[in-house]
């Protein structure tokens, strides 16, 4: 049975247009993790890890990142990586968005 967040995540993916860019974000974690969030998707504060991806790239990245989570992170902290169209992401500040873009470009250049 799917949880409410999985239904919301599926709905966000279906709403996105075919040529729209997607982001990969981390959902869940402990209470202390929320102070490090850089965006909101719906009503949840999340950490966006990658952006400017096609839907297929985002789904592959999500799958790869979810494999790296330990069983405790998945079960106890209910952590998981999800994707959403960039239009559904509300950034806390434009500076955080630009900072993430710069970090992502640096990683791609190595």
């Amino acid at each position: 049975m799917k949880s409410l967040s999985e239904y919301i995540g599926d709905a966000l993916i279906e709403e996105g247009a075919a040529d729209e860019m997607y982001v990969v974000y981390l959902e869940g974690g402990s209470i202390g993790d929320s102070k490090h969030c850089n965006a909101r998707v719906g009503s949840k504060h999340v950490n966006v890890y990658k952006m400017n991806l096609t839907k297929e790239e985002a789904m592959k990245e999500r799958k790869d990142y979810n494999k790296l989570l330990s069983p405790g992170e998945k079960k106890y902290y209910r952590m998981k990586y999800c994707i959403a169209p960039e239009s559904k992401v509300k950034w806390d500040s434009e500076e955080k968005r630009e900072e993430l873009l710069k970090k992502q470009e640096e990683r791609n250049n190595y």
Side-chain angles (χ1 to χ4, degrees):
M1 187 162 145
K2 287 186 175 183
S3 68
L4 180 61
S5 63
E6 289 173 326
Y7 280 116
I8 293 171
D10 291 344
L12 287 173
I13 293 168
E14 290 171 7
E15 285 179 19
D19 60 340
E20 189 169 14
M21 302 308 281
Y22 285 78
V23 299
V24 177
Y25 65 91
L26 179 63
E27 183 179 285
S30 65
I31 293 172
D33 292 342
S34 63
K35 64 183 174 186
H36 302 292
C37 294
N38 56 14
R40 282 187 9 228
V41 175
S43 62
K44 294 185 178 193
H45 290 275
V46 298
N47 252 340
V48 175
Y49 280 88
K50 289 220 172 183
M51 54 191 301
N52 293 335
L53 301 170
T54 64
K55 186 175 180 178
E56 292 77 24
E57 290 172 338
M59 291 177 91
K60 183 185 179 306
E61 290 287 330
R62 174 186 65 179
K63 186 175 182 181
D64 292 343
Y65 278 141
N66 279 329
K67 286 181 183 177
L68 299 175
L69 293 173
S70 70
E73 289 172 326
K74 292 177 187 175
K75 187 175 180 180
Y76 183 76
Y77 292 108
R78 295 186 180 137
M79 295 171 74
K80 64 179 176 178
Y81 288 91
C82 305
I83 66 172
E86 283 190 8
S87 61
K88 301 293 181 187
V89 177
K90 293 180 179 73
W91 293 92
D92 290 346
S93 69
E94 192 61 32
E95 294 168 356
K96 290 186 178 185
R97 182 180 182 279
E98 295 299 324
E99 184 180 319
L100 180 64
L101 273 173
K102 190 161 65 168
K103 283 182 184 178
Q104 189 170 329
E105 287 177 14
E106 289 173 2
R107 276 188 239 137
N108 290 340
N109 289 336
Y110 282 118

